[in-house]
Amino acid sequence: MSNVFDLPLVFVDLETTGAHIQRDRITEIGVVEWHGDEVSEWSTLVNPQAPIPPFIQSLTGINDDMVKDAPTFAELAPALLERLSGKVFFAHNARFDYGFLKNEFKRAGLEYRAKVVCTVKLSRKLFPREFKHNLDAVSTRMGLTVEGDRHRALTDARLVQQFLARLRETTAEEVLLLALDDVGRTASLPPGIDPEVVEDMPDGHGVYLFYGENDLPIYIGKSNRLKKRVLSHFSSDHAADKEMRLSQQLKRLDWITTSGELGATLLEARLIKSMKPVYNRQLRKNDDVCSWRFVPDAEGRAKPVLCKSSEQDLGREANLYGLFRSPREANNMLKKLAEGHKLCLTTLGLERTGKREHSPCFGMQVGKCRGACVGKEPLLSHQARLMAALAKQKLPHWPWPGRVLLRDSDGSSIVQDWHLVDHWVWHGSAASEEELADLLDTRSEARFDLDTFKILSKWLQHPPADSVRVLDQTRGMDSSEHESI
């Protein structure tokens, strides 16, 4: 970037109905224009053509009555585009404001692109030792004061403009211009990847997909900041060989947004299994997933039985111990457990009995078995020791009668998805009442999956408050726990 102060600049702030760029709408726009010595301001309320959530109303002070007679964005779009075009776009957390504007312009049939500078990144670049870089922290640190209420568009746009003006007064010009150049620089993209496609990427939760020759998937990943994560693959140093090969082979990229991390993690695991990208070593599909089922009996003669997911629904089975990607892995675990606790491999069914009745197993001959095979140790005692040894391997039981909905969000109550799960099986997601109705009415072919089980069981250890809705198997959603999603 040359001397940015020779160019016309616009400082923009938006108020919106929520944080989701695709679903939510703009309620107010504030713009400060700065070129040379001239500074001008413009702002307007916007009719979002949708209700403003109570939380947003309390945060911004903008309510439904205030915007009902305001122009829609489509009505404002032509004049606003003319006001913004050809100017460097500044905003605090610019990916939010710029992303919202681009999407709103697109809905209005117009295209808007600009050179973008994020003043959050600029603050971090110039003040790396500071912990906070939100607009309140920056204003306090720099002594910025303007008229108007915080979280109103023009007030915040004024603060952003003041921040840059104060930096120009207090920072060496060369240092400031280098910092502006650094935070405004775009990543070097692989040949054939349209920079405008990358620019259109959101920067929230989701899954990204890389495609190579013949549109074959080569890599799938997830992130809570999609755009930033994708651009990190194309860093100029190419320190990792894998990143170099990905960049060389990449022909197309795509993405799927989610409301939270849980949805992104579940979707990544499912897509990797179904699409089998060549650079994803983990989370590959494995139909041999199995577990040991052990049900002790009164005589102590019960043996662990290997249950395979291809033959049984492991999510609904009781008394299961361990999850393994193959029978070989399952047998190795049980053998190690037996060796560590001096259990009898013959009694466990892991070793053939001798030709003579009650002949000792090999382990007893070398002092690694207490003699259950020859009656030296009572079978009930052996069985009790086996149960104790297996205790840490026991799989958690599904804690509800049947289906539940798990709420997943970006940390707010505004943007959220609901995941339908039954006995550790993920059946899909819904972001609205209509999608939920379709999801509940659709027969799912999803089956128990090892990685999905691990994701869900970990998440359910500490679920966010009010994030689980139990479904009544006869009436759908339990009315005592659900008003709307």
Side-chain angles (χ1 to χ4, degrees):
M1 183 184 295
S2 59
N3 192 330
V4 70
F5 298 103
D6 294 335
L7 304 173
L9 316 178
V10 284
F11 300 82
V12 180
D13 188 80
L14 307 176
E15 303 304 330
T16 66
T17 60
H20 198 288
I21 288 177
Q22 277 78 36
R23 298 177 197 158
D24 292 306
R25 296 294 182 267
I26 295 172
T27 59
E28 189 177 38
I29 305 170
V31 179
V32 176
E33 300 176 62
W34 185 17
H35 191 194
D37 296 326
E38 296 184 9
V39 177
S40 60
E41 300 177 346
W42 176 86
S43 68
T44 182
L45 290 169
V46 181
N47 186 341
Q49 300 176 291
I52 303 174
F55 169 76
I56 297 296
Q57 292 188 37
S58 64
L59 177 68
T60 65
I62 302 172
N63 58 46
D64 293 331
D65 287 338
M66 293 171 61
V67 299
K68 66 180 181 181
D69 296 324
T72 66
F73 188 88
E75 293 169 335
L76 293 166
L80 179 61
L81 182 63
E82 184 177 352
R83 184 182 296 275
L84 299 178
S85 293
K87 298 166 185 170
V88 182
F89 184 101
F90 280 78
H92 211 67
N93 191 15
R95 64 186 178 90
F96 176 88
D97 301 274
Y98 184 60
F100 257 97
L101 276 176
K102 283 184 57 187
N103 275 278
E104 289 282 21
F105 276 122
K106 185 180 293 185
R107 292 187 192 100
L110 300 171
E111 183 177 336
Y112 172 59
R113 299 193 182 279
K115 181 69 177 178
V116 178
V117 177
C118 177
T119 48
V120 173
K121 294 180 180 179
L122 184 62
S123 178
R124 288 174 178 156
K125 182 73 177 176
L126 292 171
F127 306 100
R129 294 184 179 181
E130 296 292 338
F131 179 68
K132 293 183 178 180
H133 299 275
N134 58 47
L135 199 50
D136 286 326
V138 167
S139 298
T140 300
R141 185 167 70 241
M142 304 296 290
L144 310 179
T145 57
V146 297
E147 293 183 3
D149 297 327
R150 277 284 284 115
H151 299 297
R152 291 300 298 267
L154 186 56
T155 303
D156 291 356
R158 287 169 174 166
L159 285 171
V160 178
Q161 188 270 336
Q162 267 203 26
F163 174 47
L164 186 62
R166 187 62 54 84
L167 287 175
R168 195 177 185 188
E169 295 171 357
T170 58
T171 308
E173 181 178 16
E174 183 180 354
V175 173
L176 179 57
L177 291 178
L178 283 172
L180 286 166
D181 184 48
D182 187 62
V183 299
R185 185 183 298 122
T186 56
S188 177
L189 300 177
I193 297 299
D194 187 348
E196 295 185 356
V197 172
V198 177
E199 191 175 315
D200 285 338
M201 288 191 73
D203 211 6
H205 295 277
V207 173
Y208 58 95
L209 304 93
F210 288 173
Y211 295 87
E213 292 288 348
N214 301 317
D215 214 34
L216 294 175
I218 58 175
Y219 186 76
I220 295 173
K222 68 171 178 66
S223 178
N224 62 352
R225 298 190 64 181
L226 273 177
K227 186 175 181 178
K228 181 178 180 180
R229 178 69 185 102
V230 167
L231 290 175
S232 72
H233 284 285
F234 314 136
S235 57
S236 58
D237 56 4
H238 290 300
D241 180 61
K242 176 183 175 181
E243 303 290 11
M244 174 70 81
R245 286 182 279 123
L246 275 176
S247 294
Q248 291 173 339
Q249 297 177 31
L250 181 61
K251 304 299 180 185
R252 182 173 75 86
L253 63 88
D254 199 0
W255 62 88
I256 302 170
T257 59
T258 63
S259 289
E261 185 175 3
L262 176 62
T265 307
L266 290 168
L267 183 60
E268 177 196 35
R270 176 171 290 183
L271 290 175
I272 288 173
K273 288 176 175 61
S274 63
M275 301 179 74
K276 301 180 178 64
V278 295
Y279 285 107
N280 288 100
R281 300 296 183 187
Q282 297 180 338
L283 303 178
R284 286 297 193 93
K285 187 174 181 180
N286 193 321
D287 292 327
D288 291 332
V289 173
C290 50
S291 180
W292 289 109
R293 182 176 64 215
F294 180 62
V295 182
D297 66 13
E299 298 179 351
R301 296 187 180 279
K303 297 179 181 179
V305 177
L306 196 60
C307 300
K308 296 183 179 180
S309 62
S310 58
E311 300 170 353
Q312 291 158 300
D313 186 350
L314 297 185
R316 296 179 183 274
E317 289 283 343
N319 301 304
L320 293 181
Y321 297 85
L323 279 172
F324 311 97
R325 296 187 180 275
S326 68
R328 179 179 179 180
E329 185 180 313
N331 278 285
N332 287 340
M333 185 283 293
L334 196 55
K335 286 180 180 178
K336 282 188 177 181
L337 212 61
E339 290 177 4
H341 293 79
K342 292 190 174 182
L343 297 168
C344 178
L345 294 179
T346 299
T347 305
L348 292 176
L350 296 176
E351 187 178 285
R352 292 182 181 180
T353 59
K355 293 182 179 180
R356 291 183 299 139
E357 187 177 0
H358 299 303
S359 58
C361 68
F362 179 75
M364 184 181 176
Q365 298 176 47
V366 294
K368 293 184 177 182
C369 167
R370 294 185 182 178
C373 46
V374 295
K376 183 178 179 181
E377 179 184 24
L379 290 178
L380 282 174
S381 173
H382 182 270
Q383 182 172 263
R385 293 197 303 109
L386 171 60
M387 290 176 63
L390 284 172
K392 290 185 179 181
Q393 302 287 332
K394 188 172 177 59
L395 297 186
H397 179 67
W398 181 245
W400 298 283
R403 300 179 300 171
V404 300
L405 290 172
L406 306 180
R407 182 173 65 85
D408 186 27
S409 75
D410 62 349
S412 71
S413 59
I414 303 162
V415 181
Q416 59 186 20
D417 288 328
W418 287 89
H419 302 287
L420 178 61
V421 183
D422 186 7
H423 287 83
W424 306 112
V425 179
W426 178 47
H427 291 284
S429 305
S432 66
E433 296 283 357
E434 295 76 15
E435 290 181 9
L436 177 59
D438 291 340
L439 181 61
L440 294 176
D441 289 340
T442 302
R443 179 179 176 82
S444 171
E445 300 299 327
R447 293 178 56 83
F448 182 88
D449 173 73
L450 172 59
D451 297 300
T452 299
F453 167 80
K454 290 180 177 179
I455 294 166
L456 291 172
S457 58
K458 180 179 179 180
W459 189 86
L460 285 169
Q461 288 177 7
H462 304 287
D466 195 31
S467 61
V468 179
R469 294 287 185 269
V470 180
L471 292 176
D472 185 316
Q473 296 301 293
T474 59
R475 294 185 292 108
M477 182 69 73
D478 184 336
S479 59
S480 67
E481 298 197 25
H482 172 68
E483 295 178 0
S484 66
I485 68 165

